[in-house]
Amino acid sequence: ALHQVARAELRAAVARLPRVQRTALVLAKLEGLRLDEAAARSGLTPASLKVATHRAIRRLRLGLAAQPA
């Protein structure tokens, strides 16, 4: 049950990300595409995709850490 709650919180946090960050995270980390493939599908340069992915992960960590346990 706790696992399902954590999963729902993560899903909601991902949905709240800015569109570019959400897209970068989904393509690069969740779908597991290579950097060049994810960049081509998103319309971003590889460097921009890496930045957006990093920012998305940082935002998720900060947001989820701030929630009461």
Side-chain angles (χ1 to χ4, degrees):
L2 184 58
H3 190 273
Q4 289 175 337
V5 171
R7 223 183 233 196
E9 289 174 0
L10 179 58
R11 209 173 294 127
V14 169
R16 288 191 299 270
L17 290 171
R19 183 186 55 79
V20 170
Q21 291 178 10
R22 185 175 56 250
T23 299
L25 181 73
V26 168
L27 293 175
K29 299 299 181 186
L30 302 180
E31 290 188 14
L33 296 179
R34 290 190 333 253
L35 181 61
D36 59 330
E37 293 173 324
R41 288 202 24 206
S42 68
L44 298 171
T45 64
S48 294
L49 185 96
K50 284 176 72 171
V51 169
T53 302
H54 173 75
R55 288 180 179 166
I57 292 169
R58 185 179 64 204
R59 187 180 289 236
L60 288 174
R61 283 184 180 149
L62 292 173
L64 293 173
Q67 292 182 0

